[in-house]
């Protein structure tokens, strides 16, 4: 195993832990010694359960930090001083649940403003034997821990009634997480059913109206029977040496909790209330600071979200404007291209029309010239010559001499060659008598139709 990735993968395969960040943290804490890291998961000794401030340099730093915050007596005084010791939870209580991305959070992270999350899937506690040896216990699943908690509540209510601290029906780590979310301390009660002082303490103290109301208002309460797996392991972790046993804890850093107060042996409601009030008063600044810091973080997150939303809205608006601008440019380009195409088509049509008109004009000129040439030279006056006068629509008169044998077509050719009328747009007519010289008479001679020796005709335009 040369690479860290291989060690992490091997560690996950053996321990069953899926969270890579947790595995990295555990391996790093053991100097990347795979054997020691695995051993810390599979077995736990008494030294794993409780760390005093003198255990190591890291613990000394933790101790100093709590001392600076006023939760440890500078002279090292013992109980019942507030936060008189830090307790490291057995690795089994967090190993199955260590979707704990950055470890247990609480007092230290509350003070610095970091509130991290547990992703609990399994919860278990490791028991230590009396001679200092260690045993390996199976992890307690979330469902098992919750089942034990619900069974404890049910039995407690069956024995002592419904008026009692509102013990949560969930495992210890879930209860600790709940207290952190609600910015409260965790009240822990370890129940010893066989102890002779237990009935009186539960019935007379825990179930007293004043004490239970005070706990319910100011704490998150968790209880466990030492006959159950999690309660038994917590009794070992908290070093419960006398019963009835109560404690007030707060989540600290990594796998630790801060033990703020422990109460061993029977106590009256007044004594319990005094102790809990003192703990609550001394912890109030931290809880208030944590609540204010959390509110500030929520406000910061909300502000960032609003800023992000405003930025996103502005970005989308800019993008929409840019799309609209591009669409407008594309529309204008299409319209310009369409206008250019139409203009080009119109110009081409005009050119074609002009060309066709020029061609028609040329053809007309050529036709007129041909008609003029077909008339031949105008003959001199004589007995076989007919004098023809044609009156045009504009009042102009056109006259010419024709041979009496010339056809009516020659008269049309004469008028057409003058260029004043469009060919085929008119008919030649005489007034008295009125005679139309249409297509049926074009081949007749002037003499045959009675226009010799002279004729006067006018142009009648076709409708």
């Amino acid at each position: 195993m040369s690479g860290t990735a291989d060690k992490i993968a091997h560690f996950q395969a053996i321990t069953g832990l899926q969270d890579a960040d947790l595995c990295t943290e555990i391996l790093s804490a053991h100097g990347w010694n795979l054997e020691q890291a695995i051993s810390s998961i599979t077995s736990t000794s008494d030294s794993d359960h409780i760390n005093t401030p003198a255990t190591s340099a890291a613990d000394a730093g933790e101790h100093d930090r709590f001392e600076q915050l006023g939760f440890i007596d500078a002279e090292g005084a013992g109980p019942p001083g507030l936060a008189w010791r830090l307790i490291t939870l057995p690795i089994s209580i967090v190993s199955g649940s260590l979707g704990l991305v950055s470890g247990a959070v609480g007092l230290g992270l509350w003070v610095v403003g970091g509130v991290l999350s547990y992703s609990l899937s399994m919860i278990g506690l490791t028991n230590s034997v009396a001679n200092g040896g260690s045993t390996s216990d199976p992890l307690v699943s979330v469902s098992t821990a919750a089942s034990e908690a619900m069974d404890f509540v049910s039995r407690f209510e069956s024995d002592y009634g419904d008026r009692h601290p509102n013990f949560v029906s969930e495992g210890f780590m879930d209860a600790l997480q709940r207290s952190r979310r609600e910015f409260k301390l965790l009240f822990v009660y370890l129940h010893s059913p066989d102890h002779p002082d237990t009935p009186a303490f539960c019935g007379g103290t825990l179930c007293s109206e004043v004490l239970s109301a005070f706990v319910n208002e100011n704490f998150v309460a968790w209880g466990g029977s030492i006959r159950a797996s999690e309660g038994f392991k917590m009794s070992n972790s908290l070093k419960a040496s006398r019963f009835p046993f109560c404690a007030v804890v707060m989540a600290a850093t990594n796998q630790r909790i801060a033990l703020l107060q422990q109460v061993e042996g029977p106590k009256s409601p007044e004594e319990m209330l005094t102790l809990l009030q003192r703990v609550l008063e001394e912890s109030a600044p931290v809880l208030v600071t944590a609540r204010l810091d959390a509110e500030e973080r929520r406000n910061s997150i909300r502000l960032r979200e609003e800023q992000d939303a405003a930025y996103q809205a502005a970005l989308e608006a800019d993008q929409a404007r840019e799309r609209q601008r591009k669409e407008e440019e594309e529309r204008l380009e299409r319209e310009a291209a369409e206008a250019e195409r139409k203009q080009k088509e119109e110009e081409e049509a005009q050119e074609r029309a002009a060309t066709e008109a020029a061609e028609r004009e040329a053809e007309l000129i050529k036709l007129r010239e041909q008609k003029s040439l077909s008339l031949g030279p105008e003959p001199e006056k004589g007995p076989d010559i007919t004098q023809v006068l044609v009156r045009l629509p504009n009042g102009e008169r056109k006259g010419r001499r024709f041979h009496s044998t010339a056809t009516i077509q020659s008269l049309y050719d004469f008028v057409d060659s003058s260029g004043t009328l469009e060919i085929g747009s008119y008919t030649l007519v005489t007034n008295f008598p009125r005679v139309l010289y249409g297509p049926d008479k074009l081949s007749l001679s002037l003499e045959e139709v009675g226009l010799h020796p002279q004729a006067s005709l006018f142009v009648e335009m076709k409708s």
Side-chain angles (χ1 to χ4, degrees):
M1 297 287 176
S2 57
T4 58
D6 292 336
K7 289 186 177 182
I8 292 172
H10 192 56
F11 185 79
Q12 288 177 319
I14 293 177
T15 63
L17 298 181
Q18 299 301 315
D19 193 300
D21 291 338
L22 171 66
C23 295
T24 301
E25 183 179 346
I26 295 173
L27 285 167
S28 177
H30 292 84
W32 292 94
N33 187 310
L34 192 60
E35 182 178 356
Q36 290 181 7
I38 293 173
S39 177
S40 71
I41 294 295
T42 57
S43 64
T44 309
S45 66
D46 282 343
S47 62
D48 292 325
H49 292 180
I50 300 177
N51 287 39
T52 63
T55 302
S56 64
D59 292 337
E62 192 74 33
H63 180 275
D64 292 342
R65 183 145 62 88
F66 277 88
E67 181 178 314
Q68 292 169 5
L69 293 171
F71 290 101
I72 299 179
D73 189 342
E75 297 181 358
L82 186 60
W84 63 275
R85 64 177 176 177
L86 298 177
I87 294 181
T88 300
L89 294 175
I91 192 66
S92 60
I93 196 172
V94 288
S95 61
S97 63
L98 273 169
L100 293 176
V101 177
S102 299
V105 284
L107 179 61
L109 291 183
W110 277 348
V111 173
V112 299
V115 180
L116 305 177
S117 297
Y118 294 100
S119 304
L120 298 174
S121 60
M122 300 279 292
I123 293 179
L125 294 167
T126 304
N127 180 27
S128 298
V129 295
N131 61 5
S134 62
T135 63
S136 297
D137 293 328
L139 300 178
V140 180
S141 68
V142 171
S143 58
T144 302
S147 177
E148 289 181 359
M150 288 186 288
D151 184 63
F152 164 75
V153 173
S154 176
R155 290 178 181 273
F156 192 94
E157 290 180 346
S158 175
D159 293 338
Y160 303 106
D162 295 335
R163 189 178 65 189
H164 57 76
N166 294 331
F167 298 111
V168 294
S169 299
E170 55 195 23
F172 176 82
M173 291 299 287
D174 284 331
L176 192 66
Q177 172 76 345
R178 180 189 293 271
S179 70
R180 187 185 65 80
R181 289 196 306 268
E182 297 180 7
F183 303 104
K184 292 183 178 181
L185 302 179
L186 181 63
F187 176 81
V188 177
Y189 169 62
L190 297 179
H191 185 67
S192 177
D194 300 324
H195 197 280
D197 293 328
T198 295
F201 178 76
C202 290
T205 300
L206 279 185
C207 293
S208 69
E209 182 176 357
V210 175
L211 181 63
S212 60
F214 183 78
V215 171
N216 292 337
E217 181 178 357
N218 299 286
F219 297 85
V220 172
W222 179 85
S225 172
I226 62 173
R227 288 181 178 178
S229 175
E230 191 168 38
F232 178 70
K233 292 174 183 180
M234 280 304 301
S235 71
N236 287 337
S237 298
L238 295 173
K239 292 294 185 180
S241 59
R242 185 181 177 192
F243 293 89
F245 181 91
C246 298
V248 178
V249 301
M250 175 188 287
T253 55
N254 295 329
Q255 300 165 20
R256 294 179 175 182
I257 57 174
L259 179 59
L260 306 182
Q261 182 70 61
Q262 70 181 33
V263 182
E264 295 181 303
K267 293 289 186 292
S268 68
E270 292 74 18
E271 290 175 314
M272 286 292 298
L273 193 61
T274 299
L275 292 172
L276 294 180
Q277 285 176 331
R278 183 179 64 83
V279 173
L280 194 63
E281 289 171 359
E282 294 177 355
S283 303
V286 174
L287 298 176
V288 171
T289 300
R291 187 177 293 107
L292 293 177
D293 288 345
E295 182 65 25
E296 183 178 353
R297 281 191 298 276
R298 284 194 296 270
N299 291 336
S300 298
I301 292 173
R302 182 168 60 251
L303 178 60
R304 283 196 299 271
E305 289 175 347
E306 291 174 354
Q307 290 174 340
D308 291 344
Y311 171 77
Q312 186 64 29
L315 179 62
E316 291 176 356
D318 290 342
Q319 292 173 343
R321 284 193 294 270
E322 181 65 16
R323 286 194 300 271
Q324 186 176 3
R325 184 187 65 80
K326 289 183 177 180
E327 290 173 357
E328 183 65 16
E329 288 181 353
E330 292 174 355
R331 184 185 65 81
L332 292 176
E333 289 176 358
R334 288 195 301 271
E335 291 179 353
E338 182 66 16
E340 183 179 359
R341 183 186 63 79
K342 288 182 177 180
Q343 182 179 1
K344 186 175 181 180
E345 290 178 352
E346 290 176 358
E347 291 176 352
E348 291 176 351
Q350 290 174 357
E351 290 178 359
R352 286 195 300 272
T355 300
E356 292 172 358
E359 291 176 351
R360 285 196 302 272
E361 185 64 22
E363 285 291 330
L364 185 57
I365 291 173
K366 183 178 179 181
L367 181 57
R368 286 171 178 166
E369 290 177 352
Q370 291 175 350
K371 288 179 177 292
S372 179
L373 290 175
S374 67
L375 294 175
E378 185 177 4
E380 296 294 334
K381 294 180 179 181
D384 296 329
I385 300 302
T386 301
Q387 181 70 40
V388 177
L389 182 65
V390 178
R391 187 172 60 191
L392 302 177
N394 61 3
E396 184 180 358
R397 296 173 182 270
K398 296 284 185 179
R400 191 180 189 283
R401 292 185 294 273
F402 294 88
H403 289 283
S404 61
T405 57
T407 62
I408 297 300
Q409 180 64 54
S410 299
L411 299 181
Y412 278 96
D413 291 343
F414 167 66
V415 175
D416 290 340
S417 63
S418 66
T420 55
L421 297 174
E422 185 178 350
I423 297 174
S425 64
Y426 61 93
T427 303
L428 295 176
V429 183
T430 57
N431 275 335
F432 303 104
R434 176 176 173 77
V435 178
L436 293 173
Y437 297 95
D440 57 326
K441 296 182 172 64
L442 294 180
S443 60
L444 299 177
S445 67
L446 299 178
E447 187 173 5
E448 288 175 337
V449 297
L451 295 179
H452 180 73
Q454 63 181 10
S456 179
L457 299 96
F458 68 91
V459 172
E460 185 177 272
M461 303 302 297
K462 294 179 179 179
S463 57

